[in-house]
Amino acid sequence: MAAATEAGSRGADAAIIDGRAHADALGDRIAAQARDFAGRTGRAPGLAVVLVGTDPASEVYVRSKGRMARKLGMESFEHVLPETVSQSDLMALIGRLNADETVDGILVQLPLPGGLDSLAVIEAIDPGKDVDGLHPINAGYLASGLPGLVSCTPYGCLMLLRDSLGDLSGLDAIVVGRSILVGKPMAQLLLAANCTVTMAHSRTKGLAAKVGQADIVVAAVGAAEMIRGDWIKPGATVIDVGTSRVERDGRMRLVGDVDFAGARRRARAITPVPGGVGPMTIMTLMHNTLIAAHRRAGLPAPDLG
Ligand code: NAP
């Protein structure tokens, strides 16, 4: 329980779950394992990131992923394609990356520009190199309890929850949001950790009451502060995945799906936005790349969770 203290249950403000500190510590372990991998195989784990178009936010994400890979001693291959690239040229690049022995992980930055078929691109990635964990085969492995590659954001959330709470067995969890990227794999991970899981979405009735029964709340909607502080069960642990830009006091600020100040008065521990889930997402991508590299080299994958 390194990243959060126990100060926060009823009466005292919730402990802050410090995603940056947790991600830094995980990064140190990944870097050590990447060095060990290079020593054994004669090459560093390799991550290929594909960016199509010039969306400024996507450019920032891709650059930061490449920087982090290099910082941790991995090889980074960045492929930037014009917005006008054809589906077949994009698929041909994926084919080359699948065949490239120096590439262990392939990440296609989403969303793709209109006109390109994202699902077809994801399905074209070798599931063993699908470090975003989005391929239906990896989703199926997760649902079946088999080892695969797990979507980065929910995997990071699970690590934060385990660090904060220890054993999750028997806890009531609610996941608000059911996307393939976050909500669905999050629910599967919590189920595998023996939680009793409720999945909520835009058609859910009585959301406040359902949230109010949960020991663990994972919010992944993308609606600024829609989960009110007074919905939170006293002593619950709150993981806020959502990110929305809102104007406050004349400045643009990043906020989560949860009313942080209100929830902090009731929860035992909570992730801030920014500085909670975000830093873990990039680090679990590095973690997945390390795991993929070991599996591809026929080495046992290190357990850094
Ligand atoms: P998404 O694909 O848009 O899914 C949003 C989900 O929220 C959908 O399942 C939707 O339900 C549900 N929803 C919408 N309105 C709702 C409401 N009023 N009550 C309950 N549920 C509602 O989004 P996503 O890709 O999962 O991302 C969710 C948020 O997490 C976004 O803010 C995104 O930026 C953020 N995110 C952050 C990170 C990070 O590293 N920090 C990583 C990934 C995503 P329906 O299915 O019924 O439409």
Side-chain angles (χ1 to χ4, degrees):
M1 301 198 184
T5 66
E6 295 300 318
S9 68
R10 283 158 253 149
D13 274 355
I16 302 294
I17 299 175
D18 184 343
R20 282 203 185 98
H22 199 286
D24 286 349
L26 177 60
D28 290 344
R29 301 200 292 279
I30 293 171
Q33 289 290 338
R35 277 195 299 277
D36 179 74
F37 178 88
R40 289 194 205 198
T41 64
R43 68 173 186 88
L47 172 65
V49 183
V50 178
L51 172 66
V52 182
T54 54
D55 175 65
S58 294
E59 282 177 344
V60 170
Y61 292 142
V62 165
R63 267 201 304 274
S64 61
K65 284 165 186 169
R67 247 196 328 266
M68 183 60 77
R70 288 188 292 277
K71 184 177 163 194
L72 301 186
M74 299 187 187
E75 197 73 59
S76 166
F77 310 99
E78 283 159 43
H79 296 266
V80 181
L81 304 176
E83 200 165 341
T84 51
V85 71
S86 66
Q87 183 83 24
S88 60
D89 283 354
L90 179 54
M91 301 291 259
L93 172 62
I94 302 295
R96 288 197 296 281
L97 296 175
N98 283 342
D100 187 337
E101 284 305 317
T102 65
V103 172
D104 297 295
I106 303 170
L107 180 137
V108 177
Q109 187 65 43
L110 300 175
L112 291 172
L116 292 170
D117 181 348
S118 305
L119 186 58
V121 173
I122 290 166
E123 282 182 320
I125 297 173
D126 174 348
K129 296 187 177 189
D130 167 40
V131 282
D132 231 356
L134 293 179
H135 195 291
I137 286 190
N138 280 317
Y141 283 153
L142 179 61
S144 311
L146 295 169
L149 289 164
V150 179
S151 181
C152 302
T153 300
Y155 194 21
C157 295
L158 185 76
M159 286 184 181
L160 293 177
L161 282 167
R162 284 226 170 100
D163 190 61
S164 179
L165 283 163
D167 184 10
L168 308 184
S169 276
L171 296 178
D172 289 321
I174 187 164
V175 180
V176 189
R178 58 173 166 180
S179 69
I180 292 168
L181 185 67
V182 188
K184 282 182 184 158
M186 187 73 244
Q188 292 289 356
L189 287 170
L190 290 167
L191 194 58
N194 298 318
C195 291
T196 304
V197 184
T198 301
M199 287 196 72
H201 45 78
S202 66
R203 314 289 173 88
T204 296
K205 291 181 190 147
L207 182 62
K210 289 184 170 71
V211 168
Q213 288 171 356
D215 305 306
I216 294 171
V217 179
V218 181
V221 176
E225 297 170 337
M226 67 158 284
I227 296 181
R228 287 177 27 194
D230 58 6
W231 294 6
I232 302 295
K233 176 178 167 179
T237 302
V238 179
I239 303 289
D240 195 350
V241 181
T243 51
S244 304
R245 284 195 184 278
V246 297
E247 198 186 319
R248 290 277 151 80
D249 308 322
R251 288 176 56 193
M252 294 308 285
R253 291 180 192 276
L254 200 62
V255 300
D257 288 342
V258 180
D259 160 26
F260 180 80
R264 204 179 167 198
R265 286 194 284 276
R266 294 170 70 90
R268 63 170 281 287
I270 185 168
T271 55
V273 177
V277 172
M280 284 301 286
T281 295
I282 186 162
M283 211 49 88
T284 45
L285 172 67
M286 303 301 140
H287 185 235
N288 276 352
T289 305
L290 185 74
I291 289 175
H294 279 77
R295 288 191 185 141
R296 294 187 60 254
L299 297 169
D303 181 5
L304 304 180

